[in-house]
């Protein structure tokens, strides 16, 4: 580290020591304990637990739903960040503060709220029967009979009936702040004159976005995406309220861990956790690699 | 769920502060922690008042009773992991057996108190929407086309394990007894003691029927019994809820009797939630005498009446009779006579690879 700029900060070794202690106490030691717990099992047992079809299905659901949710947040989070930075509009500050809401709200409350919205008599889920009655009533007055089946709009309760849909919905909620908050500072620093320059050189809107703006945003965007994705993998509280939790179909991996714990199978729970962590780590490393590559590429360009 | 976590946290914090203050507190003041399962919150809040008042009258000392509630399995796990519970009052014998296996409770706890150490009982019954639109009157009606059944996951919920056993026993025509008479109770006890083989486990037809029920009639599986009540009553999912009788009464009182009817099937299981002193903890803390008196007091006429008031079935026949309008007598089969006790039932049905897991195994 000799000659590096960090030397100007006094007490460098103290801060480094503290950082290492902090990370070890909070992350490394518990992680080591988790891995150690699995050594209570033989490899055959470990393999049997982690490759059980029901457990495999739960990994698949967790990663698919988290990925979809992160993708949705990637697209819409970018749009939200853009709108908040670029446009002054009444209530803009309020909406900006609202973005952090999912951080503060206990996710179990979020799950319960979403669940009750899409109930058969919830605000949104209950809209179906009311709309059908209204349309049919109006048609009846006009002598057109009843064009809609009574159950025609029951799909509005989709988070309950659609399995993965509901899970993705709450994961989009809990992951909302990440992309917005990582992209926002870059956009604030960004000088709109680059766009003006590109336009004057004859670039179309899409080309400007694709060739000028997005490459600049990409490293921040992908870290936001990775954070939202990781958040989704670990989420438990909100999902169990909205998922139907049927084994092999709609049980997320964290629920599998809780199930094992409730049966006093500590080692089996740890085994599922270790596999979940390993897959997450690999994915996050890959995303980090992409980000690094993009940063280097950008600097070289 | 959240509230539950919060309460567990509260109890833990309470305990921490107790440990801190332990050395300075006056010797005469005693504290007890009762770790219990979800639906018993009201029962123990009221019983604690009753017992603390009696303790003060008898000894002149102040007894502070703390209670912690949550899913039965999770509560047992907390005790195994070091929560200093003086007594545990859980949903099923298996959870106390797990604490026993961890070396905290001495073997033979179920014989230390009368009636298999369960001072009150309950059963599994049905909650249906007002007027019973799907005509669900007995177990077989659950398989009617289009009927959706709400229950919790037996892997994570003690109540749901009793539901599973009730289904299995009722389908297999398990032998029942009349628990409203002393003679019937004596017969049941004798039959449990004499039971040697348990043919219900070999009933492949019952297993197929139950697999069909869970695959085709159960749309959601909540982690806990309370969660399934919320799914049925608040989220309005399904046509019938299978749950503890006391939980059904609670849901009916909470959400309004104009919304739901309680339906009793022709036979059901006698659910026996057991209680035990945590030997290792009481010996360490010197609270054995008061902990034992606390559990024994649950069999007193006052406590039995209180149980009846809160829709638990008292063991005391006079108290049971007093509440017979709300807790109608139906023939019951028992886990000991029908299934040979909790250890056997747990390993066959609910352990990994047991019959419940096979229901959801994807076809290869």
């Amino acid at each position: 580290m000799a000659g590096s700029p960090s030397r100007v900060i006094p007490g460098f070794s103290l801060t480094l020591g503290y950082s290492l202690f902090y990370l070890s106490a909070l992350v490394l030691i518990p992680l080591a304990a988790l891995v150690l717990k699995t050594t209570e099992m033989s490899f055959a047992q470990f393999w049997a637990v982690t490759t059980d079809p029901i457990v495999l299905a739960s990994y698949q659901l967790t990663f698919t739903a988290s990925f979809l949710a992160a993708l949705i947040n990637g697209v819409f989070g970018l749009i939200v960040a853009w709108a908040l930075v670029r446009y002054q509009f009444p209530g803009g500050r309020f909406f900006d503060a609202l973005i952090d809401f999912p951080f503060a709200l206990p996710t179990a409350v979020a799950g319960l709220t979403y669940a009750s919205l899409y109930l058969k008599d919830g605000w949104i889920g209950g809209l179906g029967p009311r709309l059908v009655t209204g349309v049919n009533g109006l048609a009846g007055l006009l002598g057109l009979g009843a064009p809609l089946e009574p159950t025609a709009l029951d799909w509005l309760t989709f988070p309950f009936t659609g399995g993965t849909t509901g899970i993705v919905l709450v994961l989009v909620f809990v992951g909302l702040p990440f992309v917005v908050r990582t992209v926002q500072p870059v956009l604030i620093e960004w000088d709109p004159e680059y766009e003006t320059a590109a336009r004057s050189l004859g670039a179309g809107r899409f080309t400007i976005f694709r060739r000028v703006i997005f490459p600049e945003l990409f490293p921040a965007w992908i870290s936001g995406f990775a954070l939202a994705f990781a958040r989704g993998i670990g989420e438990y509280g909100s999902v169990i309220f909205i998922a139907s939790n049927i084994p092999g179909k709609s049980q997320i991996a964290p629920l599998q861990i809780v199930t094992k714990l409730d049966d006093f199978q500590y080692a089996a729970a740890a085994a599922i956790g270790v596999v979940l962590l390993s897959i997450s780590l690999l994915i996050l490393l890959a995303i980090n690699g992409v980000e690094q590559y993009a940063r280097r590429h950008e600097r070289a360009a | 769920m959240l509230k539950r976590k919060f309460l567990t946290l509260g109890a833990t914090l309470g305990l921490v502060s107790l440990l801190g203050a332990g050395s300075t507190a006056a010797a005469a003041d005693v504290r007890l922690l009762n770790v219990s399962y979800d639906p018993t919150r009201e029962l123990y809040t009221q019983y604690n008042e009753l017992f603390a008042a009696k303790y003060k009258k008898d000894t002149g000392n102040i007894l502070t009773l703390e209670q912690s509630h949550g899913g039965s399995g999770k509560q047992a796990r907390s005790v195994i992991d070091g929560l200093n519970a003086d007594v545990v009052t859980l949903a099923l014998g298996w959870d106390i057996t797990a604490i026993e296996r961890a070396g905290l409770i001495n073997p033979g706890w179920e014989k230390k108190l009368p009636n298999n150490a369960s001072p009150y009982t309950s059963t599994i019954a049905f909650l249906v929407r007002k007027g019973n639109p799907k005509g669900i009157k007995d177990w077989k009606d659950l398989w009617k086309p289009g009927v959706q059944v709400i229950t919790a996951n037996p892997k994570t919920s003690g109540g749901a394990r009793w539901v599973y056993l009730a289904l299995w026993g009722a389908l297999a025509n398990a032998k029942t007894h009349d628990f409203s008479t002393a003679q019937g109770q004596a017969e049941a006890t004798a039959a449990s003691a004499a039971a040697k083989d348990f043919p219900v486990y070999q009933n492949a037809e019952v297993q197929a029927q139950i697999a069909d029920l869970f695959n085709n009639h159960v749309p959601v599986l909540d982690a806990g019994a309370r969660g399934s009540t919320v799914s049925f009553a608040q989220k309005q999912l399904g046509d019938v809820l299978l749950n503890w009788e006391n939980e059904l009464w609670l849901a009916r009182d909470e959400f309004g009797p104009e919304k739901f009817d309680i339906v009793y099937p022709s036979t059901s299981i006698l659910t026996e939630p057991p209680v035990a002193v945590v030997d290792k903890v009481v010996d360490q803390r010197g609270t054995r005498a008061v902990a034992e008196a606390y559990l024994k007091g649950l069999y007193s006429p006052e406590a039995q009446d209180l149980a009846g008031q809160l829709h638990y079935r008292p063991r005391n026949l006079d108290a049971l009779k007093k509440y017979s309008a709300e807790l109608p007598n139906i023939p019951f089969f028992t886990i000991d006579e029908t299934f040979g006790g909790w250890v056997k039932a747990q390993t066959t049905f609910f352990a990994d690879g047991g019959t419940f897991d096979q229901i959801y195994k994807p076809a290869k």
Side-chain angles (χ1 to χ4, degrees), chain B residues 38-48 67 69 250 253-254 306 309-312:
Chain B
D38 249 340
T40 54
R41 191 168 286 127
E42 209 177 1
L43 174 65
Y44 282 108
T45 307
Q46 296 194 27
Y47 174 66
N48 286 351
Q67 53 195 107
H69 298 270
L250 189 82
D253 292 345
E254 191 79 17
L306 182 65
Q309 254 178 57
L310 296 170
H311 313 298
Y312 290 86

Side-chain angles (χ1 to χ4, degrees), chain A residues 26-104:
Chain A
L26 285 174
V27 184
L28 275 179
I29 293 175
L31 263 182
L34 180 72
V35 175
L36 207 64
K37 192 83 201 168
T38 61
T39 58
E40 286 173 14
M41 317 171 89
S42 69
F43 183 74
Q45 284 171 317
F46 180 90
W47 189 253
V49 166
T50 51
T51 58
D52 179 272
I54 290 175
V55 174
L56 285 182
S58 76
Y59 288 136
Q60 197 190 352
L61 176 66
T62 288
F63 286 106
T64 316
S66 305
F67 185 80
L68 284 176
L71 213 59
I72 293 172
N73 270 323
V75 174
F76 291 96
L78 189 62
I79 296 175
V80 169
W82 182 266
L84 287 175
V85 171
R86 279 305 178 83
Y87 306 106
Q88 301 281 319
F89 55 97
R93 282 257 171 118
F94 172 73
F95 282 107
D96 193 63
L98 216 56
I99 300 293
D100 291 326
F101 196 56
F103 278 150

Side-chain angles (χ1 to χ4, degrees), chain A residues 121 241 244-245 260 262 266, chain B residues 77 81 221 235-236 352:
Chain A
D121 64 352
F241 276 99
S244 50
N245 303 322
K260 298 287 182 224
D262 276 358
Y266 293 58
Chain B
R77 206 171 70 227
D81 290 348
L221 274 179
K235 297 189 193 167
Q236 305 208 24
D352 276 358

Side-chain angles (χ1 to χ4, degrees), chain A residues 49 52-54 57 106 108-109 112 115-116 119-121 160 236-237 240-251 255 258-266 268, chain B residues 1-2 5 73-74 76-77 80-81 94-95 98 153 155-156 161 214-215 218-223 230 234-238 346 350-352 356-357 360-362 364:
Chain A
V49 166
D52 179 272
I54 290 175
V109 177
L112 204 59
S116 36
L119 296 177
K120 260 187 244 165
D121 64 352
F160 281 130
Y236 175 75
I240 53 154
F241 276 99
I242 204 145
S244 50
N245 303 322
I246 302 284
K249 292 195 187 93
S250 48
Q251 280 193 337
L255 179 57
V258 173
T259 304
K260 298 287 182 224
L261 283 178
D262 276 358
D263 195 27
F264 314 111
Q265 298 186 55
Y266 293 58
Chain B
M1 197 71 187
L2 185 77
K5 265 188 197 155
K74 194 184 294 167
R77 206 171 70 227
I80 293 171
D81 290 348
W94 172 251
D95 289 329
N153 187 338
K155 302 270 290 187
T156 46
R161 282 180 211 178
F214 275 93
N215 274 315
V218 178
V220 296
L221 274 179
D222 286 284
V230 171
Q234 202 229 335
K235 297 189 193 167
Q236 305 208 24
L237 297 172
Q346 174 71 25
F350 311 120
D352 276 358
F356 183 76
D357 274 352
Y360 289 109
K361 274 275 185 285
K364 277 184 184 160

